[in-house]
RNA sequence: AGGGGCGUCGACAAGUGGCUUAAGUCGCCAGGUUUUGAUCCUGGUAUUCGCAGGUUCGAAUCCUGCCGCCCCUGCCA
């Protein structure tokens, strides 16, 4: 039944509530739902909601439905339904049933008439401006609408004519008759139905009146017998209204709404508006740009679903508004990728190294483990060593700094898994730039193990110049330079990190990667985790850097 | 101004009157191992729980007052 929760699982007050409800017998089985509005792409914030909604249901042997909250036909919808489903599946969750709030329009309408018949709802014909003015203020009670006391018959007639399409948008609205003086603004006769002569992505032109979120959500939960309706903090003030409907309508079940804090990260933006602006103004390549916090962007970047799930678990669920340090995300990603990414070598900015005593035209093959840490190495791949190899430009310094353990004149280093080489000569071009290193290799140290047991501290990644395969590499970094973009009166667009994307066209990778499929996640040793882009193909490799390895050397502030 | 919610280490977050002179995770610092300056391992990192009083033998946990932050006046969700 319920899986034992991971010891590393962070606390989660919702989990405690559910456990209590199950133990007390209030529920035999729990049912939750994930209710996205199909009007945009899912982002990392939604990932938390998905993990909570689906994860808790799974943990307790319950069920979780996917429900598209499509009560507003004005906001283009159908195109997002598939991407949302895809993202949820990618994250690793399955829904029990898929529903659309629009499937319940008939029932919702019937309930609206019930409310009218019971004298608990009325058709208001004030203009939006009048309604706003009469709603009062936080400090002052609202004023009853002049239409508040229309008869049941008149209300029914008006409401049916609204449904029949007799009126223009905005001419009338159905409101609940609750309390215009309530300190909770949501209870000052909230709108239940509005006239919207728009084409709906599923119901087409069947309706011209649509229920509001408040009138639709809880009742939809009830129809699906949801036991725990989990949502974010901003709906807290709506809970009394949610419950008012449960109390005043003949609903088949009475779900409980529980609110928790949404997920926020430093160094990124999460609002739909800002994300859209980034895309529409071309600051990024699209919704799935690897720098975007959208699930499609993160997927393309190479983040694994398990990493995201682990992150959500570690972050916990509480009611505190908080900004999670992005390093927590980065850690979760490295943690999972370290465990699951096979190792390869690739040189980003090549520097030629000629092994002067290596036989001309000869190729020496070595076997290297895919997972060096594992006992059996997790499989192997073969890598060729030739007279000319490529190493990273950053791994050579003509004048080494202290503690330098890479290449420098006279220094011996290891070419990982293959050889020990010593730098003998530095060749420069007319501009004084280093273009080539002349080195010798130790034929007695094949594989990198010296016959005399001498210690060679530095180990470099490398690629055979003859076998190395060209690749276009995209290095991604944080999209913003400040912790909370757009805070205060700053413009978040001016805080975009100008170096969030670096494209390297001269990279060369080891031949074992020639046929790598799009979506493949690997580690380039000593550099970081990478993912073959969705557009990558043999002959035109395109590789996205997901995240660098931790680099305490760079952090120590080494020069150059 | 009214209502709702929240304030524990740099960031998350346990703890709900004594076993807490406050878990864990990330980060950071210091060591060790290492053919990735990665991983891994070890140790350090809040005498203090928004502030001020009070109750109590005893409080982060109870009471009172204050301060701070977030949400609510869509025919958005």
């Amino acid at each position: 039944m319920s899986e034992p929760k991971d010891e590393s699982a962070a606390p989660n007050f919702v989990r405690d509530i559910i456990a209590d409800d199950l133990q007390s017998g209030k529920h035999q089985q729990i049912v939750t739902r994930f209710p996205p509005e199909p009007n945009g792409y899912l982002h990392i914030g939604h990932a938390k909601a998905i993990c909570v909604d689906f994860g808790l249901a799974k943990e307790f042997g319950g069920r979780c439905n996917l429900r598209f909250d499509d009560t507003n036909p004005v906001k283009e919808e159908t195109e997002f339904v598939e991407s949302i489903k895809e993202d949820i599946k990618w994250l690793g969750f399955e829904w029990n049933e898929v529903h659309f709030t629009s499937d319940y329009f008939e029932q919702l309408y019937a309930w609206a008439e019930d409310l009218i018949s019971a004298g608990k709802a009325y058709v208001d014909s004030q203009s939006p401006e009048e309604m706003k003015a009469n709603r009062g203020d936080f400090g002052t009670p609202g004023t009853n609408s002049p239409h508040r006391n229309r008869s049941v018959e008149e209300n029914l007639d008006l409401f049916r004519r609204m449904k029949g399409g007799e009126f223009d948008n905005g001419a009338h609205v159905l409101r609940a008759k609750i309390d215009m003086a309530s300190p909770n603004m949501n209870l000052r006769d909230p709108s239940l139905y509005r006239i919207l002569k728009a084409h709906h992505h599923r119901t087409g032109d069947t309706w011209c009146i649509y229920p509001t979120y408040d009138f639709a959500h809880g009742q939809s939960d009830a129809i699906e017998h949801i036991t725990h309706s989990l949502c974010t903090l901003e709906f807290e003030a709506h809970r009394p209204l949610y419950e008012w409907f449960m109390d005043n309508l003949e609903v088949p079940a009475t779900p409980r709404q529980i609110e928790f804090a949404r997920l926020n990260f430093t160094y990124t933006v999460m609002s739909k508006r800002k994300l859209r602006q980034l895309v529409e103004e071309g600051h990024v390549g699209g919704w799935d740009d690897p720098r975007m916090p959208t699930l499609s962007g993160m997927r393309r970047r190479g983040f694994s679903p398990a990493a995201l799930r682990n992150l959500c678990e570690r972050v916990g669920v509480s009611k505190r508004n908080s900004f999670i340090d992005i390093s927590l995300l980065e850690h979760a990603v490295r943690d999972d990728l370290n465990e699951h990414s096979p190792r390869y070598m690739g040189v980003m900015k090549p520097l030629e190294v000629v092994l002067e005593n290596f036989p001309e035209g000869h190729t020496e093959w070595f076997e290297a483990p895919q997972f060096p840490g594992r006992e059996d190495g997790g499989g192997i791949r073969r890598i060729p060593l030739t007279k000319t190899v490529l190493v990273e430009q950053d791994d050579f310094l003509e004048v080494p700094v202290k503690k330098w353990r890479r290449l420098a004149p006279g220094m011996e280093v290891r070419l990982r898994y293959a050889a020990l080489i010593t730098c003998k000569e530095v060749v420069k071009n007319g501009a004084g730039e280093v273009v080539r290193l002349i080195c010798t290799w130790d034929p007695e140290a094949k594989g990198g193990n010296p016959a005399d047991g001498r210690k060679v501290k530095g180990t470099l990644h490398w690629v055979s110049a003859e076998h190395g395969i060209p690749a276009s590499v995209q290095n991604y970094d944080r999209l913003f330079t400040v912790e909370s973009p757009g805070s205060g009166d700053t413009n978040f667009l001016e805080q975009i990190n100008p170096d969030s994307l670096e494209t390297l066209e001269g990279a060369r990778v080891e031949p074992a990667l020639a046929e790598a499929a799009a979506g493949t996640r690997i580690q380039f040793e000593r550099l970081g985790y990478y993912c073959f882009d969705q557009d990558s193909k043999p002959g035109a490799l395109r590789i996205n850097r997901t995240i660098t390895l931790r680099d305490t050397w760079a952090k120590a502030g080494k020069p150059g």
Side-chain angles (χ1 to χ4, degrees), chain A residues 122 124 126-146 148 173-176 179-192 212 214 241:
Chain A
Y122 62 98
D124 195 357
Q126 295 183 102
S127 68
E129 296 70 34
E130 290 170 319
M131 273 182 64
K132 181 176 166 61
N134 289 150
R135 185 147 29 227
D137 214 324
F138 287 134
T140 51
T143 309
N144 283 170
S145 165
R148 200 173 197 262
V173 61
L174 182 72
R175 302 178 73 176
D179 179 9
M180 287 305 290
S182 171
N184 182 341
M185 301 301 285
N186 294 116
L187 263 22
R188 317 253 262 223
D189 290 9
S191 298
L192 272 29
T212 57
D214 283 313
L241 180 54

Side-chain angles (χ1 to χ4, degrees), chain A residues 44 292-303 308 329:
Chain A
I44 181 68
M292 292 284 275
T294 51
L295 293 186
S296 53
M298 297 175 93
R299 173 165 61 233
R300 191 169 185 180
R301 170 92 169 247
F303 286 25
L308 266 29
L329 203 211

Side-chain angles (χ1 to χ4, degrees), chain A residues 59-84:
Chain A
E59 181 180 331
F60 288 99
R63 297 184 289 126
C64 181
N65 294 340
L66 167 59
R67 183 168 74 235
F68 289 99
D69 214 343
D70 56 352
T71 57
N72 188 347
V74 180
K75 301 186 183 179
E76 224 55 56
E77 306 196 327
T78 201
E79 59 173 303
F80 297 108
V81 171
E82 290 312 312
S83 77
I84 288 173

